[in-house]
């Protein structure tokens, strides 16, 4: 394991590998920025007018991204740095913002919300090719997180982080959702389920906030690997590299005490693990109708 970027992010999140750019992208939510780590080690940053909870790369473009901002969904071009008008989400709930999100295998963007008061009032949503946003028929949540899809797209995973439970459900290509079933329940001493990604064998890798680790679960929910980390608040894993065999993970430092920062000097950094024995999948891109 190595510290790939000493980013010192307040809330690093949404690690995502771009195959066309051969680069890792991620967001610092509280830092209002998206960062890119290139193969030569250079890091580029884009500052945004709102916090970016999650994003997706757009199909057919090397520069266009779909952003999940504080107030809603927007398109952003990394070349021109232009931002489209925002399509509002939960405008009647001023305390909530968009949180974790990822494209399903059909190229629709699915995301959850974050409520700083941790009351389960927010929904999970899906954005289609025409930028229409629908609320999914899932229980309300306080911190929608861990959204990812099995390699065949037939299973969706998600969590409401304070509940310490990751759920799975049948997910159909036409958009229909099955009934959620418990996939993994973390113990009281194990931290909280944060972001997740899926490997090529269908294993789910979860970053465990306050758990100081990444954990892999097979499709049946059994733990099959655990990677201890030098930071207590890992946030989101992603496979990257030319062969998709490097596991990256973002982390957070924004609300840690001075004492904890002294013990965790790399908090807020991006880490890379090259010897997991597993490979990832190419990230599904958002299918924007042009």
């Amino acid at each position: 394991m190595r510290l790939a970027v000493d980013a010192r992010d307040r809330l690093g999140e949404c690690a995502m590998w771009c195959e066309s750019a051969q680069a890792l992208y991620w967001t610092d939510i509280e830092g209002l920025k998206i960062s890119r780590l290139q193969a030569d080690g250079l890091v580029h940053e884009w500052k945004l007018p709102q916090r970016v909870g999650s994003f997706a790369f757009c199909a057919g473009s090397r520069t266009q991204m779909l952003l999940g901002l504080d107030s809603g969904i927007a398109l952003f071009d990394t070349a021109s740095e232009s931002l489209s008008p925002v399509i509002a989400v939960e405008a009647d709930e001023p305390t909530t913002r968009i949180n974790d999100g990822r494209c399903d295998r059909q190229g629709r963007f699915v995301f959850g919300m974050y409520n700083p008061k941790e009351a389960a009032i927010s929904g999970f949503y899906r954005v289609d090719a025409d930028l229409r946003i629908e609320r999914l028929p899932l229980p309300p949540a306080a911190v929608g997180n861990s959204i990812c899809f099995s390699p065949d797209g037939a299973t969706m995973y998600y969590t409401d982080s304070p509940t310490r439970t990751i759920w799975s459900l049948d997910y159909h290509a036409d958009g229909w959702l099955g009934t959620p079933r418990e996939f993994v329940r973390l113990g009281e001493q194990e931290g909280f389920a944060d972001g997740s990604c899926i490997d090529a064998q269908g294993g789910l890798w979860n970053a465990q906030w306050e758990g100081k680790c990444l954990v892999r679960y097979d499709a049946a929910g059994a733990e099959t690997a655990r990677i201890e980390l030098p930071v207590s608040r890992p946030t989101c894993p992603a496979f990257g590299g030319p062969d998709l065999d490097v596991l990256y993970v973002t982390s957070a430092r924004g609300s840690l005490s001075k004492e904890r920062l002294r013990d965790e000097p790399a908090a807020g950094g991006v880490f890379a693990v090259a010897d997991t024995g597993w490979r990832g999948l190419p990230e599904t891109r958002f299918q924007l109708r042009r």
Side-chain angles (χ1 to χ4, degrees):
M1 181 190 304
R2 62 185 175 88
L3 179 62
V5 184
D6 188 12
R8 297 179 174 265
D9 289 331
R10 294 169 63 189
L11 183 53
E13 272 285 7
C14 196
M16 199 166 295
W17 181 260
C18 178
E19 280 199 296
S20 61
Q22 285 293 292
L24 181 77
Y25 289 70
W26 73 97
T27 176
D28 179 1
I29 297 178
E30 296 300 333
L32 282 75
K33 66 182 179 181
I34 293 173
S35 299
R36 178 185 66 202
L37 171 63
Q38 300 173 175
D40 59 7
L42 293 178
V43 176
H44 185 86
E45 298 178 349
W46 291 272
K47 294 290 290 186
L48 279 300
Q50 296 185 29
R51 290 174 291 187
V52 184
S54 52
F55 59 84
F57 306 118
C58 291
S61 172
R62 293 179 63 91
T63 61
Q64 195 169 41
M65 304 169 73
L66 180 77
L67 304 186
L69 300 168
D70 266 338
S71 59
I73 293 293
L75 296 171
F76 177 66
D77 191 282
T78 58
S80 64
E81 300 192 3
S82 58
L83 187 69
S84 73
V86 176
I87 302 171
V89 177
E90 293 193 356
D92 58 335
E93 295 288 354
T95 64
T96 66
R97 63 161 171 80
I98 292 177
N99 200 48
D100 186 53
R102 182 170 260 104
C103 286
D104 63 19
R105 301 302 176 194
Q106 290 72 41
R108 298 166 297 204
F109 187 62
V110 180
F111 64 91
M113 304 293 289
Y114 169 75
N115 176 17
K117 297 181 180 179
E118 293 198 353
I121 60 172
S122 295
F124 291 86
Y125 297 85
R126 182 167 54 204
V127 187
D128 70 12
D130 294 314
L131 299 180
R132 288 190 297 259
I133 302 172
E134 63 172 319
R135 183 163 180 164
L136 299 178
L138 295 173
V143 186
N145 232 325
S146 205
I147 296 169
C148 53
F149 298 86
S150 60
D152 63 2
T155 303
M156 173 182 164
Y157 302 91
Y158 75 95
T159 187
D160 179 10
S161 290
T163 69
R164 302 179 188 268
T165 303
I166 301 174
W167 300 87
S168 64
L169 54 85
D170 294 337
Y171 190 91
H172 293 233
D174 63 4
W176 181 84
L177 273 62
T179 302
R181 51 191 178 266
E182 185 176 306
F183 176 66
V184 169
R185 182 179 294 273
L186 277 64
E188 291 294 323
Q189 306 303 315
E190 293 185 275
F192 301 86
D194 205 309
S196 293
C197 70
I198 298 290
D199 63 33
Q201 289 73 41
L204 181 147
W205 290 84
N206 179 245
Q208 299 191 348
W209 178 276
E210 292 292 0
K212 211 172 184 178
C213 62
L214 292 174
V215 180
R216 182 187 189 270
Y217 303 98
D218 65 17
E223 180 178 328
T224 56
R226 178 177 291 254
I227 299 174
E228 301 296 333
L229 298 168
V231 293
S232 58
R233 292 181 172 178
T235 53
C236 185
F239 280 94
D243 298 318
L244 295 177
D245 59 353
V246 178
L247 185 58
Y248 292 94
V249 59
T250 50
S251 64
R253 69 184 283 121
S255 57
L256 293 177
S257 67
K258 290 182 179 179
E259 291 74 21
R260 291 184 67 178
L261 287 172
R262 185 176 58 247
D263 294 336
E264 301 177 31
V270 179
F271 297 86
V273 185
D275 55 356
T276 67
W278 283 275
R279 296 176 184 268
L281 292 165
E283 199 65 49
T284 305
R285 290 177 170 254
F286 179 67
Q287 294 291 330
L288 176 66
R289 200 181 312 279
R290 300 179 187 276

